[in-house]
Amino acid sequence: WSSDVCSSDLFYFSQPRYWTPSVPNDKFEEFVSITKRSLFSLCPKGYGKQSFRLYEVLQLGSVPVFVYTDRWFPFEKFIDWNKFCVLIHESEIHSLKNKLLSYNKNQIKEMQAEGKKIYNEYFTMEGMSKNILKYLQNEK
């Protein structure tokens, strides 16, 4: 859901791309530009339980819309993912449009701010290292 589109055209979907080890600079810039302008960005799970897209979206300031099959989120004991992420099971995907439209501007701004905070605190190199240690100490 992009912030620079009219109400009759709320959603933007791009053509599927076949990713390779290197991404052409124009495609990279397009992805960054679109994500920075987007209020919400889809982050379907990848081959594992998570999606690298989730962290890219957080870094770029959009609210991640994480579509999952098995509920598993990093540092779930320490992070309330609902504060900065739209979590939706794949079986509920039919209700996604209404769910996204139910958020008001203030809620979205709060989610974006919390997402930026969580990204910096947990998912930068320094934050990740500190929190892995914290998590391991908690498990003792």
Side-chain angles (χ1 to χ4, degrees), residues 48-104:
K49 293 183 179 186
Q50 283 289 308
S51 167
F52 192 76
R53 179 64 36 88
L54 178 71
Y55 309 104
E56 294 171 332
V57 166
L58 281 173
Q59 186 178 22
L60 295 170
S62 185
V63 175
V65 177
F66 188 73
V67 183
Y68 65 92
T69 53
D70 299 317
R71 187 177 171 98
W72 182 89
F73 302 102
F75 305 115
E76 198 163 14
K77 290 182 178 183
F78 307 108
I79 298 173
D80 182 353
W81 286 82
N82 290 298
K83 286 186 174 181
F84 62 93
C85 209
V86 176
L87 308 175
I88 189 160
H89 190 271
E90 69 175 11
S91 66
E92 299 173 327
I93 200 74
H94 63 278
S95 65
L96 181 57
K97 179 180 177 182
N98 288 335
K99 188 171 188 166
L100 294 179
L101 293 174
S102 73
Y103 291 95
N104 66 44

